[in-house]
Amino acid sequence: MSPQPAHDITLMVNGEAIAESVEPRTTLVDFLREALGLTGSHVGCEHGVCGACTVRLDGVIVRGCLTLAVQCDGRRVETIEGLSDSGELADLQAAFERRNALQCGFCTPGMMLTAQELLAAGGVPSRDTIRAHISGNYCRCTGYHAIVDAIESVAQARAQQG
Amino acid sequence: MQIADDVPPGLTALDRPNSYIGRSVPRPNLARLAQGRAQYVSDVVLPRMAHAVFVRSPHAHARIKHVDTAAAKKAPSVIAVVTGAELAKVITPWVGVLTHLKGLKSAPQHAIAIDRACWQGEAVCAVVARTRAEAEDACELVEVEYEPLPAVTDPETALDPKTPLIQPELGDNLCFERKLDAGEVDKAFAESDAVVETTFMFGRHTGVCNEPRAVVADWNPGEQRLTVYHGTQAPHMMQNLFAKHLDLAEHQVRVLTKDVGGSFGIKVHTYADEMATVALSKLLKRPVKFVADRVESFVTDIHARDHRIKAKIGVKNDGTITAFEIDDLTGIGPYSVYPRTSGIEANQIVNLVGGPYTCMNYRALARVVFMNKNVMCQYRAVGHPIAVAVTEGLVELAAAKIGMDPVDLRRKNLFADDAYPAASAAGLKFEALSHHASTDKLVKMMDYPALRTEQQRLRGQGICRGIGFASFIEVTNPSAAFYGVGGAKISSQDGVTMKLDAQGSISCHTGVSEQGQGAEAVIAQVAATAFGVPMERVRVVMGDTDNTPYGGGTWASRAAGIGGEAAWQAGKALRQNVLTAAGSILQARPEALDIRNGIVIDADTGNERIGLDEVARVCYFRPDTLPPGFQAELMATRHYVPRAWPFAFTNGIQAAYLEVDIDTGFVTLIKHWCVEDCGTVINPQLVDEQIRGGVVQGIGAALFEHCLYDERGQLLNGNMADYLVPMAAEMPDIECGHVVSPTADSELGAKGAGEAGTAGAPASVMNAINDALRPLGAAPLTDMPFTPGKILRALGKV
Ligand code: FES
Ligand code: FES
């Protein structure tokens, strides 16, 4: 495939206004990593299975490897960097750290964005529900048990705080 | 779920106040990973950096008649298009043999194939361009003319005279063969009351690290130095190999390894495309990056397992095991992998079969044959999952045959807990194991009798559940006996350099490395304890051959046991040095002082005498005030290598509880237990998470993972949609327990725990499936992975 002419796009990434020129074939995750240096979103498979590239587009999680950068023109993207800086994930990050729910950490940003979506729905999901919800995010290191523990503990803590 | 907070214990077995040994302290630096601020090699960008992409052979075996690079060279942003012959001027080939695996042979392997491609996926040409996308575009313009050759893809016929030779100069397709005959096997079988014979199959599978292999090589002709950012488990080993094959001195090579997105043994080998990338940097005099994509990972990351084992066990009616016999055949790739070889897995299987048991009659034959498939080498738990599945599969089949409970049969044959030192039939030497204590603990944790009752009750309702066990031993803390004696420049010793900074904190530089296991935490915990500072005042430096003591890295469950002991010794040595300096400042005897919580105290009274910051201030900035002739040494280095035992064996037992849907063949894992004994536990949470992660990889092998090749040597499922890996929904909760038998070879007494989970899980799942299906008259399943189709076939439903 040879490159097609570049398109100009403008979008909000982690609250910053971005104007860039991208090839139509550039995926969102490559754009974030290469053009913007946001390397917290990872590339594990480039075919939509592992979830390492998970980011938020207009508030909904998407696979950064199955989304093209040009599709994000005029839209709002949030990544692990922005959600860390804003403090939105602070309790989840603390739980992951204390529970050792990350080993190599490669899956972790995507895993936390996915978990945060479930937690945002409120209530305390069952362990089976948590497992089902994160089943599009591959982790080779942990065996998932600790991740389920960490997410469950945050759900309980948030429920208690009301 | 309540996350238990780490609670400081009182005095520990290691007898230091405010010890961190045995505490589940969180790993330092996890915040960096959790915030997306890690630095994996795939994130590294350097000035002038170019990207390498490889044209790979679509054939399993083909002569390369011509490579036409002209069109690719003219493509946009292309910097170079390099063939194997061109690259061979910069990098020499290698041969993956070890002298202690007698007779093991292999052919020279080039960074890029020159005359022949020997597996589907072998690189035949490199394209370097300013961006990866443009390099990929240009790859499509490289015209390679192939003459397809017959592919050898069936291990069973690889040694037949009419089968073509993959490496003609070797004379046959046999890479390695080992035979062992201990005790009186024929006599023992003849005297058995029951003999069980079956064939076990283990599918080829691979590591599927979440971050693919990645390397950025930066040859700087101005400095005459090569810096390699490399996602590797063994930085010093790679430094040696880059130097050797690029004709450099080791001091001209620096290997830097920061964050690594998973390894599991995948990233401890020499990969042709990585060697080629480094050579391309030398050739082009600029940084070159290569990151494997997922399809490349499936066809080039080492594969493992792929064994066919005919196996036999004899038992008496009272449950005594009389003999084991195995005939193992394994098909590797066209080359033995460098420098660890592709013979180790078969060799380990010969060593480990029957290992937990006192039976001394054992015969084994293992043959390793070349195939035109991707290369095979050591992946997490090397040989253990196979040896354990064969041994434990036989044990449970024998128990069923004589009508004995499988736990009772094990108890009758396991080495007694007071039998040590002891040796197995294969000659493995055991210092101190705890098979019986571990079994007792497991049976209690799972409430075995109650589970059997539940199983029976549900069976009455047509629900088909099974319980399966697997006792195991695990090789950890390898000495030079593993690789060094065979001539490989792979360090079994490791070191820690510890120094006091000017504010009284310490840095620990170590040769062991981190890919998520928690080595950094373990080193910090041990160092803080040995020296006497809070953990916040310890910084660990790893993954940099310029700045760490020479060491082996992290593999074969060695980081905690070997690196940890070096940290312990370095911490003690630095404490001594600091107390000598403090004694000189305070005019006190160093023996009367100690360091606690970062403060020098009177050892007897605990009274505070002087802060470490003050000791450092005087020694670094006002040494003129110290007594004449006194020189403070606020840095210490210590190394450690196991000497008394070739390996520190650990042991344990796992159990799986699962349900088989006899209409669909689907297996639902309900619960999994593991009790293991890794000696002194430095960080219980980290040990448990190593076990859990390992168990899930073992479950993957048992139920899902399989690199499927057709008879032409084409990988049929080289992507993550078709090659199934364990995801959260299918995995059970895993309960862990410990028994502690420290090794006396080190003061710390820690052994490894990284592979125990993977070693025992496949066997326990297999045994549980067979336990579930046995009452239905199904033939025992012994062909991993146990897919729904195989289960339905065993039930005679398809
Ligand atoms: S990289 Fe996008 S799902 Fe794997
Ligand atoms: S922590 Fe390594 S992949 Fe999840």
Side-chain angles (χ1 to χ4, degrees), chain B residues 380-524:
Chain B
R380 195 175 197 172
V382 197
H384 292 71
I386 297 167
V388 176
V390 167
T391 306
E392 299 300 292
L394 290 173
V395 161
E396 296 217 351
L397 291 174
K401 185 143 186 182
I402 62 168
M404 194 169 179
D405 181 274
V407 176
D408 293 342
L409 190 139
R410 286 186 175 83
R411 284 190 167 125
K412 187 146 186 77
N413 293 282
L414 290 164
F415 279 97
D417 288 357
D418 59 2
Y420 302 98
S424 73
L428 303 179
K429 297 190 181 77
F430 305 131
E431 180 192 3
L433 301 179
S434 60
H435 286 297
H436 290 268
S438 299
T439 306
D440 293 348
K441 186 158 193 170
L442 181 95
V443 162
K444 215 164 153 185
M445 268 165 57
M446 63 193 286
D447 197 353
Y448 181 45
L451 219 54
R452 282 283 181 214
T453 310
E454 178 178 83
Q455 181 189 27
Q456 283 307 326
R457 182 174 54 78
L458 291 172
R459 198 159 270 159
Q461 303 168 17
I463 294 170
C464 187
R465 289 194 173 179
I467 305 167
F469 296 88
S471 297
F472 61 89
I473 54 173
E474 186 204 339
V475 172
T476 80
N477 294 5
S479 73
F482 214 170
Y483 293 114
V485 297
K489 298 226 166 70
I490 298 171
S491 169
S492 53
Q493 64 85 51
D494 232 294
V496 169
T497 292
M498 207 180 285
K499 70 178 183 220
L500 190 71
D501 75 12
Q503 293 182 328
S505 296
I506 55 173
S507 62
C508 295
H509 303 244
T510 176
V512 299
S513 53
E514 175 76 65
Q515 306 96 40
Q517 300 90 331
E520 182 183 9
V522 163
I523 298 290

Side-chain angles (χ1 to χ4, degrees), chain A residues 1-3 25 33 39-40 42-47 49-50 52 80-81 84-85 93 95 97-100 102-109 112 127 131-132 134-146 149-150 152-153 156, chain B residues 1 3 5 26-27 30-31 33-37 40 42-43 132-134 137 140 206-208 210-212 260-262 264 293-294 379 515-516 685-686 689-690 692-693 696-697 705 719-721 725-729 731-734:
Chain A
M1 191 170 85
S2 347
R25 66 177 173 178
R33 290 174 53 82
T39 52
H42 298 143
V43 176
C45 70
E46 294 171 279
H47 54 262
V49 183
C50 75
I80 184 69
E81 289 90 347
S84 298
D85 292 351
Q93 286 164 326
E97 291 162 30
R98 282 168 60 213
R99 185 57 191 86
N100 204 56
L102 63 163
Q103 290 187 23
C104 79
F106 201 78
C107 68
T108 311
M112 283 195 299
R127 290 179 75 82
R131 284 184 178 275
I134 61 170
S135 261
N137 288 76
Y138 173 56
C139 175
R140 188 53 144 180
C141 300
T142 62
Y144 304 105
H145 183 129
D149 285 352
E152 191 182 20
S153 77
Q156 286 165 347
Chain B
M1 169 66 209
I3 298 177
D5 269 315
R27 289 159 52 201
L30 276 190
L33 303 184
Q35 293 172 11
R37 293 177 183 276
Y40 301 95
S42 37
D43 302 332
R132 179 169 166 179
E134 286 163 314
D137 291 340
E140 291 177 24
T206 184
V208 200
N210 208 338
E211 183 195 26
V260 181
F264 322 111
D293 69 24
R294 186 53 63 187
Y379 162 54
Q515 306 96 40
Q685 176 158 270
L686 293 184
E689 296 319 318
Q690 279 302 298
R692 291 192 173 105
V696 165
Q697 277 182 355
E705 299 187 39
N719 63 74
M720 287 189 70
V725 288
M727 300 302 271
M731 291 302 112
D733 278 351
I734 299 160

Side-chain angles (χ1 to χ4, degrees), chain B residues 362-384:
Chain B
Y362 172 41
R363 184 186 294 141
L365 166 67
R367 284 168 302 155
V368 178
V369 298
F370 294 112
M371 299 274 99
N372 289 116
K373 296 180 188 170
N374 183 20
V375 293
M376 294 239 299
C377 204
Q378 282 78 292
Y379 162 54
R380 195 175 197 172
V382 197
H384 292 71

Side-chain angles (χ1 to χ4, degrees), chain A residues 42-62:
Chain A
H42 298 143
V43 176
C45 70
E46 294 171 279
H47 54 262
V49 183
C50 75
C53 60
T54 305
V55 295
R56 260 194 216 155
L57 181 61
D58 288 340
V60 178
I61 56 170
V62 296

